[in-house]
Amino acid sequence: MVGVTFVKRQNQSAKRKAIADKKKQHAKNISDTLKKWDTSGTGALNFEELRNWLTDITEQKIKPDDGEVKWVQSMANFTKAGLAKDRGGDAESVLTASVLPEDFSLAAQAWMSYVDSKEEIEAMFKKFDKDHSAYLDKPQLKELLTALNEGEEVPESEVDWVLSTSDTLGNGVITPPELSKALSLWYARAGDQDAKLPTIEKPNDKMTTTSVIKVVPSKRANQSTRRKEIVQKRKQHKQFIKDTLDKWDKSGTGALSFEELQNWLSDISAGEKATDDETHWVQVMAQKEKVLVGTFKKKEDLFESSVLPEDFVAAVEVWMAYKDSKEEIEAMFAKYDTDASDSLDRPQLKSLLTDLNDGVEPEDAEVEWVFTNADQLGNGAITKPELKKALGLWFSRDDDSGAVRAASVTGDPIAAAAAAAPERAPSEKPAAAAAAPAKPIKTAAVSLEELKSIKRSNQAARRRDVARKQDAQNDFINQTLEKWDKSGTGALTFDELKAWLSDNSVGGPATDDEVMWIASLANMDKIKDKATASKASVLPQDFVAAAKAWMAYKESKDEIEAVFAKFDTDQSGGLDKAQLSQLLQALNDNVAPSDSEVDWVMQNADQIGNGQITKPELSKATALWFALVDADGNEAAAAKAAAAPTPAPAAAAAPAPAA
């Protein structure tokens, strides 16, 4: 709302001034550097001028050698060299070119960080640069990384990654200044073999002179400890896999077949034999990630597959979680599995859900949704290991009008697994499914009656409240259609919408701009073209959002009128770019915004799509502006943070200008 955003003006303006002051100081630093060190008058620092400047900015007046100056050049010019390479230019000549003013900050950060680490780097070179070549080749780098890795040999691919990413000079070896970056990459990689870290970090306001390349000692110690922990976990994981295969892989295939998996699970269960259903279920759950990427085309392929070593941990985790709940699951089956089939059909599941719902019988659609999504084996029944998911689905389901989502799994375990998000990341515990969120129910020491007492009162009350709200919303929709849908189309046309809004307005009828704004908010998720959306009929499901948006707008109408009285100098009922710029300047302590900033606000606030800011669009325009200031010109953050002026979803924001 305009009222809220105007309250923020003083703080926002102060922040904007601080940013402007910082820019001025940055410009002055560049000017001073050029004035003192650009003796050739080229507007940049050549090789020797860069050397002299780098020497001066260190407290100890450390003079860089030729290799170090080349490295600083390459760090400062790396992004430009990459662009040149992409366009078919000479990247090598760009790397060693004079350093331009916009890269002075990066050059200084790189040099100061290297200087802070120089003593440690020289000690490492003394140990690992055995041929005294003043650089580390690939074998020497591998030896260094192995020493950092607690003596465990580092894979060739990882050495190649560190070498290629740290070799800023592109000469195939690691020089002393490049080693600092190599160490940072190594510690930051922290065991993630698939990590793709940036080759170079651009400076930003949060960086210090030691944050680009140097590994801060305290951070390095923590990373080293973490690295040790990862190495130890890897060793334990390898040993676990080896022990499992040695004992249970009787066929010698390097994986566990169905029978071998069943025997292994039975052994984990202290001799209680795993049933076929339980074993098939573990097959499904342990290999869910493979299901998601389409490894198995049909359930027969999944059930006939062997469980590979990389899935052993997942198999154990899901099995032990199930065993923790087994006692209570058995108690539930004893009560509801009336035909002793070791599974629940739809009527039996409905009976269970009714008891959990304080005796309120669930709708058939709800039972079907739970049943279809919990039937992970695809056998048309809820088996014992699947009951836990059924309970989780029931208790954690969304209780609004759109809660029961159509399940498209059609009794197929492949589709059932694919319908849910992965339950775990590698080496992590299973997580809840995204398609139908379910928090695992810890029932090891909780009886059915206790479960009911904990959940049912809140669940039943919530469901009754939702039902009341739904009834009230349906009444509102029906009354609106009955009174205002004169055309009998089951929706409100432009004129019908205008009459409805005018009837709910104090201070005059709704204008065409206001009606178009409401229509565009209601239709933005259905119609991409703004002009078309603003003139389309509003459907019943959008009546509530439309009413809320209209009432919120009307509450701030007086303030909006005051703003337009001042800045809508031609009394057109809309602000063009020049008038919007004047408004933003007034909000910015009289500091004029850039053209690109005004364009960004205009493009993203112009909900109607008529090339100007109308009165109902003003709230969003001011919110976007303050968000842009808050985000220091970061367009993505501003678009995300800008509060929508209505409950309707915000329109997709166009790219904002750089600050």
Side-chain angles (χ1 to χ4, degrees):
M1 310 267 190
V2 173
V4 175
T5 53
F6 268 86
V7 170
K8 298 171 63 179
R9 179 171 62 189
Q10 186 173 357
N11 290 338
Q12 296 281 5
S13 297
K15 185 171 184 180
R16 192 75 182 180
K17 287 183 67 177
I19 293 172
D21 290 343
K22 187 182 295 184
K23 289 181 179 179
K24 290 179 182 178
Q25 183 61 44
H26 181 66
K28 184 178 184 303
N29 291 341
I30 289 176
S31 176
D32 292 345
T33 300
L34 286 173
K35 186 176 180 180
K36 185 173 183 179
W37 302 108
D38 177 25
T39 54
S40 60
T42 59
L45 298 183
N46 62 30
F47 190 90
E48 289 303 327
E49 292 167 347
L50 179 61
R51 190 203 304 270
N52 294 335
W53 176 52
L54 296 177
T55 303
D56 185 69
I57 63 176
T58 55
E59 185 177 349
Q60 306 91 335
K61 304 302 178 187
I62 299 174
K63 185 175 183 179
D65 59 30
D66 287 355
E68 291 167 338
V69 177
K70 287 180 181 178
W71 175 75
V72 172
Q73 280 183 318
S74 69
M75 291 293 287
N77 294 321
F78 194 87
T79 301
K80 293 183 176 68
L83 292 173
K85 183 178 180 180
D86 291 341
R87 297 169 182 172
D90 185 0
E92 186 173 349
S93 63
V94 175
L95 276 178
T96 57
S98 296
V99 176
L100 297 176
E102 63 262 30
D103 299 316
F104 286 176
S105 177
L106 181 56
Q109 289 171 339
W111 173 242
M112 296 302 293
S113 177
Y114 167 64
V115 168
D116 287 345
S117 305
K118 194 170 184 180
E119 184 177 345
E120 179 185 14
I121 289 171
E122 289 177 349
M124 290 187 176
F125 260 76
K126 184 176 181 180
K127 181 175 182 179
F128 294 99
D129 179 23
K130 297 179 180 178
D131 56 1
H132 306 293
S133 60
Y135 60 76
L136 300 180
D137 57 22
K138 181 179 175 181
Q140 292 167 335
L141 176 62
K142 183 175 182 178
E143 186 179 357
L144 168 59
L145 297 181
T146 299
L148 295 175
N149 202 34
E150 299 299 304
E152 181 172 338
E153 186 171 334
V154 178
E156 292 291 329
S157 60
E158 198 158 349
V159 179
D160 289 337
W161 179 80
V162 173
L163 179 59
S164 63
T165 311
S166 305
D167 180 19
T168 314
L169 295 175
N171 54 5
V173 295
I174 299 298
T175 60
E178 291 171 334
L179 180 58
S180 185
K181 184 175 183 182
L183 294 175
S184 294
L185 290 168
W186 171 253
Y187 285 119
R189 191 170 175 84
D192 183 0
Q193 304 245 358
D194 296 321
K196 294 181 179 179
L197 300 181
T199 305
I200 189 170
E201 268 191 78
K202 295 182 179 180
N204 57 56
D205 294 337
K206 295 181 180 179
M207 285 188 174
T208 65
T209 55
T210 60
S211 64
V212 177
I213 310 166
K214 180 189 174 186
V215 181
V216 180
S218 60
K219 182 178 179 182
R220 182 169 63 242
N222 290 337
Q223 290 171 326
S224 182
T225 300
R226 185 182 175 199
R227 191 80 186 181
K228 292 177 183 178
E229 292 173 352
I230 291 170
V231 171
Q232 185 61 29
K233 286 181 180 178
R234 284 182 182 174
K235 290 179 179 179
Q236 293 173 349
H237 183 67
K238 288 179 181 178
Q239 189 62 45
F240 167 72
I241 290 174
K242 182 179 183 300
D243 292 344
T244 301
L245 288 173
D246 287 347
K247 186 172 183 179
W248 301 108
D249 179 22
K250 305 300 183 183
S251 58
T253 59
L256 296 185
S257 65
F258 180 85
E259 290 78 10
E260 293 166 345
L261 176 63
Q262 190 170 41
N263 292 335
W264 179 41
L265 297 177
S266 300
D267 183 70
I268 296 173
S269 303
E272 181 185 352
K273 185 175 181 179
T275 66
D276 287 355
D277 282 343
E278 291 170 337
T279 306
H280 280 312
W281 177 75
V282 171
Q283 281 182 313
V284 172
M285 299 302 291
Q287 302 184 89
K288 180 173 287 188
E289 290 178 6
K290 293 183 172 68
V291 171
L292 290 171
V293 298
T295 302
F296 307 105
K297 302 304 180 186
K298 54 184 183 296
K299 69 179 181 181
E300 289 78 10
D301 295 340
L302 175 58
F303 291 157
E304 292 172 5
S305 68
S306 295
V307 175
L308 298 176
E310 62 261 30
D311 299 316
F312 286 179
V313 171
V316 172
E317 287 174 344
V318 299
W319 178 246
M320 295 308 295
Y322 164 63
K323 295 300 290 182
D324 285 344
S325 307
K326 185 71 179 292
E327 184 177 345
E328 295 308 318
I329 290 173
E330 292 286 1
M332 293 182 188
F333 263 72
K335 180 175 181 179
Y336 298 99
D337 179 20
T338 52
D339 55 0
S341 62
D342 280 335
S343 63
L344 301 181
D345 56 23
R346 285 170 175 80
Q348 292 166 337
L349 177 63
K350 186 173 184 178
S351 178
L352 167 59
L353 298 182
T354 299
D355 280 352
L356 293 177
N357 200 37
D358 200 24
V360 178
E361 190 173 282
E363 297 177 4
D364 288 343
E366 294 174 318
V367 177
E368 184 64 27
W369 179 77
V370 173
F371 189 95
T372 310
N373 284 281
D375 180 18
Q376 295 163 308
L377 297 181
N379 58 0
I382 300 300
T383 60
K384 292 176 181 177
E386 293 168 333
L387 180 59
K388 187 174 181 180
K389 180 166 186 179
L391 294 175
L393 288 167
W394 176 252
F395 284 127
S396 64
R397 62 186 299 280
D398 249 336
D399 279 298
D400 59 21
S401 59
V404 181
R405 282 150 289 194
S408 58
V409 297
T410 61
D412 184 346
I414 304 298
E423 292 202 354
R424 62 183 182 90
S427 301
E428 293 179 355
K429 293 184 178 180
K439 297 180 180 178
I441 307 297
K442 295 290 185 181
T443 59
V446 183
S447 68
L448 175 60
E449 291 304 318
E450 289 171 323
L451 259 179
K452 288 161 59 177
S453 66
I454 292 170
K455 293 285 187 179
R456 68 184 180 186
S457 59
N458 289 338
Q459 293 285 346
R462 185 181 177 199
R463 291 168 68 79
R464 287 193 293 269
D465 184 55
V466 169
R468 283 193 295 269
K469 289 180 181 178
Q470 185 63 53
D471 289 342
Q473 181 172 310
N474 290 337
D475 290 342
F476 171 73
I477 290 173
N478 291 333
Q479 291 168 8
T480 302
L481 286 172
E482 183 178 350
K483 185 173 182 179
W484 301 106
D485 179 22
K486 305 300 184 183
S487 59
T489 59
L492 296 185
T493 64
F494 185 90
D495 290 336
E496 292 166 348
L497 177 62
K498 185 174 184 178
W500 178 45
L501 297 177
S502 298
D503 186 66
N504 287 278
S505 176
V506 177
T511 66
D512 285 354
D513 283 343
E514 292 169 340
V515 178
M516 286 192 289
W517 176 69
I518 291 293
S520 67
L521 289 176
N523 292 309
M524 64 170 53
D525 60 337
K526 309 177 190 68
I527 303 173
K528 299 303 180 184
D529 181 67
K530 292 181 178 180
T532 303
S534 66
K535 296 175 183 177
S537 295
V538 174
L539 299 177
Q541 61 263 35
D542 299 314
F543 287 177
V544 172
K548 289 180 178 178
W550 179 245
M551 297 310 294
Y553 163 63
K554 296 299 289 184
E555 287 177 4
S556 57
K557 186 72 180 291
D558 289 345
E559 291 177 282
I560 292 173
E561 291 288 0
V563 173
F564 265 71
K566 181 175 182 180
F567 294 98
D568 180 20
T569 52
D570 55 2
Q571 297 182 338
S572 63
L575 302 181
D576 58 22
K577 179 179 176 180
Q579 293 165 336
L580 176 62
S581 180
Q582 291 173 0
L583 168 61
L584 299 183
Q585 181 172 335
L587 294 176
N588 197 35
D589 202 23
N590 212 33
V591 177
S594 66
D595 284 346
S596 58
E597 290 172 327
V598 179
D599 288 337
W600 181 79
V601 173
M602 173 72 79
Q603 184 177 356
N604 286 286
D606 180 17
Q607 186 67 47
I608 297 174
N610 59 359
Q612 59 181 354
I613 300 301
T614 59
K615 292 176 182 178
E617 294 167 332
L618 182 62
S619 287
K620 185 170 184 180
T622 53
L624 285 166
W625 171 251
F626 286 128
L628 188 63
V629 173
D630 269 340
D632 292 341
N634 185 314
E635 61 276 8
K640 184 177 180 181
T646 77

